[in-house]
Amino acid sequence: MRERCDVAIVGYGPTGQTLAILLAQRGWRVTVLERWPTAYPMPRAIHFDHEVGRIFQAAGVADEVRAISDPCHSFAWRNGAGETLLEFGLVPQSKLSGWPASNMFHQPELERVLDRRARSLDGVSVRRGVLVFDIEPGDECVHVRARDASGEVRDVEARYAVGCDGANSFVRRWMRAPVEDLGLAFDWLIVDLITRGSRSREPGNWLVCDPRRPAAANSGGPGRRRFEFMRLPHDTLESLNDPRTAWQLLAPWGLSESDTILERHMVYTFHARWAEIWRRGRVLLAGDAAHAIPPFAGEGLGSDLRDAATLAWKLDLVLAGRAAEELLGTYAQERLPHVRSLIDLSISLGRMICMTDPDEAAARDARVIALARAGERSVIPSPPALGPGTTHAGDPHAGEFSPQGRVRMRSPGRACEGLFDDVVGRGWVLLGADGDPGRALGPDQRAFFASLGGVSAHIGAGAPLADLDGRYERFFESTGVRIVLVRPDFHVFGTAKDPAEASGLIDALARELASPSVAEEKA
C-alpha cells in the first residue's frame, strides 16, 4: 500500500503531534506512523514553561491545555532539616509571554488534547500500530516503510521525513547519527499519585535536598501529585519497584492508601546526551530522538516542542519554495546549542541536588542560603537564546524569545482584544514603537514580506494596536530598540532603532532564506 504526503512523521508523542498540527495548519499533508496501537496511558512529563504555552497557543489548543494544567505559583528548595534554602514566587502570568511561568500537567491528557486537534485538521493522517523498518532516500522524496500487525507493508512517499520516535529512535539509528553521551546517569524512583480533595495541593512544589535521600514533591497536574526519590547505593531495583517501598517513602509526607491511589511507580534513569547530526538529506530528527535532558531544570518536554516549532516554519518555507533547502541545515545549528545549554544547567542542578555526603550538603546549604540573603533569588539563569542560524548576524537580541502581551486592535467599526498572537497573528511580525515599520519598506520588500505571510504593525499610545499591559513598552525601553522582527517560532530575527533600519532587516531576512549561513551535514 502506497501513500503520498508532504511530510512523514515517525512517532506520535507530543513532539510528533505538535509538528503534525503546525504543518497541517500551514496547509501541508502529513502522515504520522506510530508503532503502538494506543497511546501510553501513564504519566511521564509533568512540566512546561511559558514559552511552550505559547507553542500550544499556536497549535490552537490554548484553552484545552489551560484546563488540564495546574499553574505552579511557588517552588522551594529545602534541606534535610526542613529549612528553606531558596523559595521562588512565580507570578501567575509570565512577564514575557502571557502564560504562567511554570505549569504542571498529566501527559496522557495532553496527548488526548493534541490528538483531537491533529485529527480535526484535513491534512493529518495518523496510522497507529505500524512499525517503521526501512527508509529509502531519493533525490526528490523519501520512502518510509512500515509494517502493521498483519504483516502488510505501508510505503509512505514524502518530500521530507522527521523522526520523533523517542530515545530509542529507529530514525536516528538509520541516520547513523553519532551520539554524544556525557556518561552521567541518575536513577530515581518516580511515584505518581491520584489524590483526593485538598491533598492534591499538599505539600507544595518542593525539592528536598536531604543527603539521606534527595527527593522532590510536585503537582502532577490537577488532582495528581508526583514524588521522586533518588536511588541510594544500597537500593536494589527490585526493592524500589515494590509498591510497599513507595508507600514507605511516602509515609513521612502523610500520604497513605486511605487518601491516595498509586497510579504508577517506576525507576527511571536520567541521561544527558544528544545526537551530533539532526539531518541527513531529507530526513530529520526532533525531540527525544535528538536529545535527552535530565529533568532537574524541567525542560525536557519544552525542548522537544521547541524543536517542533522551529522545524515547522523552516519546513513550511522550503516546501513552498520560498527558501533554499539549505535552510533546514540551520535547524540543528540553532537548536543544539540551546539544548546543550539546558543539559549543562540540568547537570549542574542535579549535582547540587544529588549530594549524599553530609559535609558537602552542609556546605552547599550554606552557599545557597548566603546567595538568597544577598538577594540572589534564583540559581537558574534566564532561558538561553538560540544558536546562530536564521537571525540577523551581529544583532545583540537575535535569537532571544520575544514578548507577548495583551493588546487591543482598533479598526473602523470593530475592536479586538486578547493576547498578541491571537489578535495580530502568528508568523513573521515586524513591530514598531514609533509607527508602522512596513511603511518604510520598498515595493519589492513589501512583496517579499507579504509572500511569507508577514504582518507589520505599530503598537503604543495612539497606535491602532494598544499595549494593554505595557509589555511592549518595557521591551522597547529595556533593549533600546524601536523595531523588532519576530520569527514564527517567536524568537527575534533582529531589531532596528529607526524605520530606515527596518528595510535592512527585511533585506537580511531575504538573504538568509535565499542562501542560509549553514555548515551542511555530510551525507
Side-chain angles (χ1 to χ4, degrees):
M1 182 182 298
R2 173 166 291 187
E3 183 174 347
R4 290 183 173 86
C5 64
D6 296 303
V7 180
I9 296 174
V10 182
Y12 196 53
T15 309
Q17 291 173 318
T18 302
L19 181 59
I21 292 166
L22 296 177
L23 288 170
Q25 288 180 161
R26 290 170 165 90
W28 302 111
R29 295 168 301 145
V30 179
T31 296
V32 185
L33 302 170
E34 167 57 49
R35 67 176 299 186
W36 301 110
T38 59
Y40 187 67
M42 293 297 166
R44 287 175 287 182
I46 60 168
H47 174 265
F48 69 87
D49 65 17
H50 64 95
E51 292 186 12
V52 177
R54 200 168 173 186
I55 295 172
F56 290 136
Q57 186 183 343
V61 294
D63 290 342
E64 293 90 337
V65 170
R66 288 190 183 99
I68 64 167
S69 301
D70 189 4
C72 173
H73 298 308
S74 65
F75 184 71
W77 287 35
R78 298 190 175 186
N79 63 15
E83 299 171 315
T84 298
L85 304 178
L86 284 171
E87 188 164 10
F88 310 97
L90 303 173
V91 294
Q93 301 297 324
S94 163
K95 295 180 180 179
L96 194 59
S97 71
W99 278 74
S102 183
N103 306 269
M104 317 305 287
F105 71 101
H106 182 237
Q107 183 168 331
E109 292 181 349
L110 173 65
E111 292 193 29
R112 285 192 286 272
V113 167
L114 293 173
D115 178 57
R116 286 194 297 270
R117 175 60 177 160
R119 292 178 188 270
S120 75
L121 299 170
D122 291 339
V124 178
S125 175
V126 179
R127 310 297 184 195
R128 279 194 171 276
V130 293
L131 178 65
V132 173
F133 66 90
D134 186 37
I135 299 174
E136 182 182 331
D139 292 336
E140 301 296 329
C141 67
V142 58
H143 288 266
V144 181
R145 296 188 176 91
R147 184 179 291 110
D148 65 19
S150 70
E152 183 178 5
V153 173
R154 183 180 298 273
D155 182 350
V156 178
E157 180 184 302
R159 294 170 66 183
Y160 292 92
V162 184
C164 302
D165 50 340
N168 297 314
S169 170
F170 167 81
V171 178
R172 186 184 64 238
R173 295 196 304 273
W174 176 87
M175 288 174 59
R176 300 188 301 280
V179 174
E180 178 70 23
D181 193 325
L182 299 185
L184 297 172
F186 303 92
D187 286 349
W188 282 63
L189 174 65
I190 310 301
V191 181
D192 288 294
L193 304 171
I194 299 174
T195 55
R196 299 186 178 96
S198 62
R199 302 311 305 256
S200 64
R201 298 186 180 276
E202 297 177 3
N205 294 292
W206 291 355
L207 184 63
V208 182
C209 302
D210 186 347
R212 293 170 296 181
R213 187 185 295 273
N218 291 291
S219 165
R224 286 180 163 83
R225 297 290 302 171
R226 170 167 290 180
F227 288 80
E228 304 176 34
F229 303 97
M230 181 178 165
R231 180 186 179 185
L232 300 178
H234 66 268
D235 291 324
T236 66
L237 291 178
E238 182 181 21
S239 67
L240 288 180
N241 282 321
D242 187 328
R244 291 174 296 182
T245 301
W247 288 119
Q248 289 170 4
L249 293 170
L250 292 167
W253 300 84
L255 295 164
S256 68
E257 296 178 74
S258 64
D259 56 9
T260 54
I261 298 171
L262 184 60
E263 184 177 26
R264 186 190 67 151
H265 60 101
M266 181 178 293
V267 176
Y268 266 77
T269 301
F270 304 135
H271 294 283
R273 59 193 180 198
W274 61 86
E276 296 181 353
I277 294 174
W278 291 25
R279 177 189 174 215
R280 195 173 293 281
R282 292 179 175 271
V283 182
L284 303 103
L285 298 175
D288 289 354
H291 44 74
I293 302 178
F296 303 109
E299 287 293 348
L301 178 80
S303 295
D304 296 347
L305 299 197
R306 289 181 184 95
D307 291 350
T310 295
L311 184 55
W313 73 260
K314 290 179 185 276
L315 275 170
D316 172 52
L317 293 185
V318 172
L319 287 165
R322 296 191 182 99
E325 188 176 36
E326 289 77 16
L327 178 67
L328 298 177
T330 67
Y331 160 61
Q333 282 184 229
E334 294 178 351
R335 291 292 308 129
L336 185 51
H338 191 277
V339 165
R340 291 182 62 176
S341 294
L342 290 173
I343 288 175
D344 290 343
L345 171 61
S346 295
I347 289 172
S348 64
L349 291 174
R351 284 175 171 156
M352 290 180 65
I353 295 162
C354 296
M355 287 182 181
T356 55
D357 181 277
D359 294 334
E360 290 181 357
R364 173 205 58 204
D365 295 353
R367 289 194 304 271
V368 173
I369 290 172
L371 286 173
R373 288 174 177 169
E376 299 289 338
R377 300 299 297 168
S378 175
V379 296
I380 303 177
S382 300
L386 294 175
T390 313
T391 51
H392 192 22
D395 190 310
H397 305 291
E400 294 178 357
F401 200 72
S402 68
Q404 177 182 221
R406 293 192 63 81
V407 299
R408 181 186 299 115
M409 180 177 284
R410 295 183 289 264
S411 59
R414 112 181 239 278
C416 182
E417 181 177 317
L419 288 172
F420 183 96
D421 297 345
D422 296 330
V423 173
V424 180
R426 51 190 63 88
W428 292 94
V429 176
L430 186 63
L431 190 64
D434 301 320
D436 184 349
R439 295 178 180 175
L441 305 181
D444 290 343
Q445 292 171 325
R446 282 197 292 270
F448 162 73
F449 197 49
S451 75
L452 303 179
V455 174
S456 66
H458 172 206
I459 190 167
L465 193 62
D467 181 7
L468 297 181
D469 52 20
R471 195 155 295 167
Y472 294 93
E473 180 182 4
R474 292 191 294 272
F475 169 78
F476 288 123
E477 286 180 354
S478 65
T479 58
V481 303
R482 306 304 289 167
I483 295 167
V484 60
L485 176 57
V486 181
R487 308 184 336 174
D489 58 2
F490 316 118
H491 289 278
V492 172
F493 173 83
T495 57
K497 294 185 178 180
D498 57 54
E501 291 183 2
S503 61
L505 279 179
I506 300 303
D507 287 341
L509 175 59
R511 288 192 299 270
E512 278 298 314
L513 298 185
S515 182
S517 303
V518 55
E520 274 290 279
E521 297 95 338
K522 295 182 179 180

